[in-house]
Amino acid sequence: RAGYHDAMQQLRQARQDAQALRDEFLIQKATLYASLEQQGKAKVIDRLIRAESQKQVYKKIQYVRKQDEHSMSLSSLKVPSDDSVTCPDEIKKLPDTPDNWKTITIPQEIERLLLERNKRHFGQSEGTPFTVDPLKADIGFKADGYTADLILEGQVTYDATDAATKLLMHHLHKQTIHTLEGRVTEKEIRDKLKRWDENTSTSPSGIHLGHYHCMWRRPNLQNDAQTQLILAKQKQLLKATTALLNYALKF
């Protein structure tokens, strides 16, 4: 009986490690074929790695969608008993005892605490060079003014700033006088995406093209008002994507 329990434990562990072992095996094979200059086999293994990685992403997406079918509202929130403890490192060190933690179940209080936490978290950049004068006043939030252009051209310096900030400003200078000419249009982007297979992996992360396809696929809804609302949002997404691409081409 003891041997049975040991065997079952080993089986469970093998199942947990199966994906990691599989990935390690394929990577070793790809490295071996590459070192032997067998490029054909190496490419086959690389495609297999990408395909399996993409399959795992699809499984995660399906899992999240299934979870979303049920109620996923936050019913409780566990926070430190001492409201003055807000540092993440200090929170991690708190013992998991009733004296150090309390559970909040009131929805309004949960919302308030989460908003306060997010303000602290996303406000951590306060005091860094671009959030204080003179850079804050000269460059602004969008960094699209005259001073920003001068920085790119290397025609303005900030001698009063510290050495690290000066080095950063130096690396913002343009490294070439040549710029790409031309622009891409919304129609060109939309037409290209329509011909691009959604199952194609666009990067090593394995993320598919579904988030781009949502910009042009017509919603299958019977409610005309909702359809028009989604179509308007699709146009905004396509317009923003086009602007980002053209900005990258220009700068």
Side-chain angles (χ1 to χ4, degrees):
R1 188 174 180 82
Y4 170 79
H5 285 296
D6 291 340
M8 290 300 297
Q9 185 175 359
Q10 292 177 8
L11 176 61
R12 286 192 292 269
Q13 187 64 42
R15 286 174 175 172
Q16 292 178 2
D17 299 339
Q19 188 59 50
L21 294 173
R22 171 69 174 172
D23 294 341
E24 182 180 357
F25 169 77
L26 291 176
I27 292 174
Q28 290 177 350
K29 282 291 186 181
T31 303
L32 174 63
Y33 290 139
S35 64
L36 296 176
E37 297 185 355
Q38 297 182 7
Q39 299 301 327
K41 293 183 178 180
K43 289 181 179 179
V44 170
I45 297 296
D46 286 338
R47 287 197 294 268
L48 183 59
I49 292 174
R50 289 196 297 270
E52 293 190 1
S53 175
Q54 185 171 328
K55 183 179 179 181
Q56 292 299 318
V57 172
Y58 286 147
K59 284 185 176 180
K60 291 180 181 178
I61 293 174
Q62 291 174 356
Y63 173 78
V64 171
R65 285 177 174 173
K66 288 181 181 179
Q67 292 294 317
D68 194 43
E69 294 175 357
H70 308 285
S71 176
M72 295 186 66
S73 59
L74 193 62
S75 59
S76 64
L77 184 67
K78 195 173 182 180
V79 298
S81 300
D82 186 354
D83 295 336
S84 64
V85 179
T86 58
C87 177
D89 292 333
E90 294 180 5
I91 293 176
K92 292 177 183 178
K93 295 178 182 178
L94 288 177
D96 190 11
T97 62
D99 294 335
N100 293 284
W101 296 89
K102 60 183 178 182
T103 301
I104 307 300
T105 57
I106 302 174
Q108 293 82 357
E109 185 67 6
I110 291 175
E111 181 180 8
R112 182 185 69 82
L113 291 171
L114 289 176
L115 288 174
E116 288 182 357
R117 179 266 173 194
N118 289 341
K119 287 180 181 178
R120 290 193 301 268
H121 177 73
F122 293 107
Q124 294 181 85
S125 62
E126 183 65 30
T128 55
F130 288 94
T131 63
V132 296
D133 293 333
L135 296 180
K136 179 181 178 181
D138 292 348
I139 298 176
F141 180 75
K142 295 189 294 183
D144 58 353
Y146 180 66
T147 303
D149 292 334
L150 291 178
I151 291 174
L152 293 175
E153 298 294 340
Q155 297 180 10
V156 62
T157 59
Y158 289 89
D159 296 331
T161 56
D162 58 72
T165 304
K166 291 179 182 178
L167 181 62
L168 174 61
M169 302 297 287
H170 174 74
H171 282 286
L172 291 175
H173 296 171
K174 288 183 178 179
Q175 301 300 313
T176 177
I177 60 174
H178 302 290
T179 57
L180 293 174
E181 300 296 337
R183 295 172 58 86
V184 292
T185 64
E186 294 180 9
K187 183 179 184 303
E188 289 173 336
I189 294 175
R190 185 173 56 249
D191 291 345
K192 175 61 179 177
L193 291 175
K194 286 183 177 180
R195 294 194 298 269
W196 201 345
D197 184 5
E198 186 177 357
N199 293 323
T200 303
S201 175
T202 59
S203 67
S205 64
I207 301 300
H208 63 80
L209 286 164
H211 57 298
Y212 284 122
H213 279 225
C214 71
M215 292 191 296
W216 60 266
R217 284 188 173 178
R218 186 173 181 83
N220 186 20
L221 299 175
Q222 295 181 351
N223 189 310
D224 291 338
Q226 292 182 352
T227 299
Q228 293 303 317
L229 178 61
I230 293 177
L231 290 175
K233 291 183 177 180
Q234 286 179 327
K235 290 182 179 179
Q236 292 177 348
L237 285 172
L238 182 59
K239 183 178 180 181
T241 301
T242 306
L244 287 172
L245 289 174
N246 284 317
Y247 185 87
L249 287 174
K250 183 177 180 181
F251 297 106

